[in-house]
Amino acid sequence: MEHLSVINSLAMGNARSESDIDFFVVTKSRRLYFVRSIIIVVFRMLGIYKTRNKIKDQFCFGFYVSTNHLDLSSALIEGEDPHFAFWFASFIPLFGKRQYERLVAKNRWIYDYCPNFLPSQKINDYKIRSGWTRVAKRFLELLLFMPAAVLEPVLRLIHIRHTLRLPENS
């Protein structure tokens, strides 16, 4: 995972007691479905992954993009889309400062809607990565490189089929 932002009701200051906690995830290129699968498995094992029946205080990782698809302009509704712009402007970055800066740079349209948008004020640049965590991240990336490369196309197919079978997509 290259970047993580809190989004939706919590980021907008509109969370209620029954709300979940939504995240926007940026992954490395050709690792989106592998990262998504790992997140689902880990958070389900911990019992804190949002399901249809369990929402309150659960984690929802519903939005993923990879580093080679940071331009979100194709998701804008043609004409005017202030709702999407407000959603994007409300992101609260948790980590991945450089990727957040790249995300904003690839989405300059945000300034058409929010001319005073200051992404630098949103970056807390939490120091959660010590030297050891950087080493551990690199080690895991090397260790998982081959499994991720092999599993990515399979997991992509599984996730797309699953998504298309959801009742709301029928």
Side-chain angles (χ1 to χ4, degrees):
M1 188 178 336
E2 298 296 302
H3 169 75
L4 183 70
S5 277
V6 173
I7 59 171
N8 293 350
S9 60
L10 186 59
M12 294 177 194
N14 198 26
R16 298 179 305 218
S17 62
E18 65 273 6
S19 294
D20 62 353
I21 303 160
D22 297 289
F23 294 97
F24 182 91
V25 178
V26 177
T27 70
K28 283 189 175 185
S29 176
R30 295 187 300 274
R31 294 295 179 265
L32 189 143
Y33 294 98
F34 184 77
V35 169
R36 184 176 178 183
S37 297
I38 296 294
I39 287 171
I40 290 169
V41 168
V42 169
F43 281 80
R44 281 197 175 189
M45 287 174 55
L46 294 171
I48 54 175
Y49 192 81
K50 178 184 169 183
T51 65
R52 285 193 182 150
N53 301 323
K54 195 173 180 187
I55 298 170
K56 178 182 176 175
D57 299 329
Q58 300 297 294
F59 291 91
C60 179
F61 292 86
F63 301 91
Y64 294 81
V65 296
S66 61
T67 53
N68 60 336
H69 290 96
L70 295 175
D71 181 358
L72 304 179
S73 61
S74 64
L76 288 163
I77 295 173
E78 195 172 320
E80 296 259 337
D81 196 350
H83 182 268
F84 190 80
F86 180 74
W87 176 77
F88 182 81
S90 71
F91 284 19
I92 299 174
L94 294 182
F95 71 85
K97 175 183 175 180
R98 277 190 227 126
Q99 285 304 329
Y100 178 72
E101 289 169 343
R102 286 189 64 220
L103 179 67
V104 172
K106 291 284 187 176
N107 292 282
R108 304 300 294 171
W109 52 264
I110 189 64
Y111 294 100
D112 295 338
Y113 294 91
C114 306
N116 298 321
F117 176 66
L118 295 171
S120 60
Q121 288 184 344
K122 300 174 81 47
I123 301 172
N124 292 319
D125 198 19
Y126 296 111
K127 300 294 183 191
I128 60 172
R129 286 193 184 169
S130 67
W132 286 108
T133 55
R134 276 190 227 113
V135 169
K137 181 181 185 246
R138 295 277 190 240
F139 175 74
L140 283 172
E141 286 175 349
L142 287 171
L143 182 68
L144 296 173
F145 177 80
M146 283 308 293
V150 170
L151 290 173
E152 180 70 13
V154 174
L155 294 170
R156 179 181 186 274
L157 183 63
I158 291 168
H159 282 280
I160 289 172
R161 282 188 178 170
H162 170 75
T163 301
L164 293 175
R165 288 185 182 144
L166 292 172
E168 58 267 27
N169 294 324
S170 298

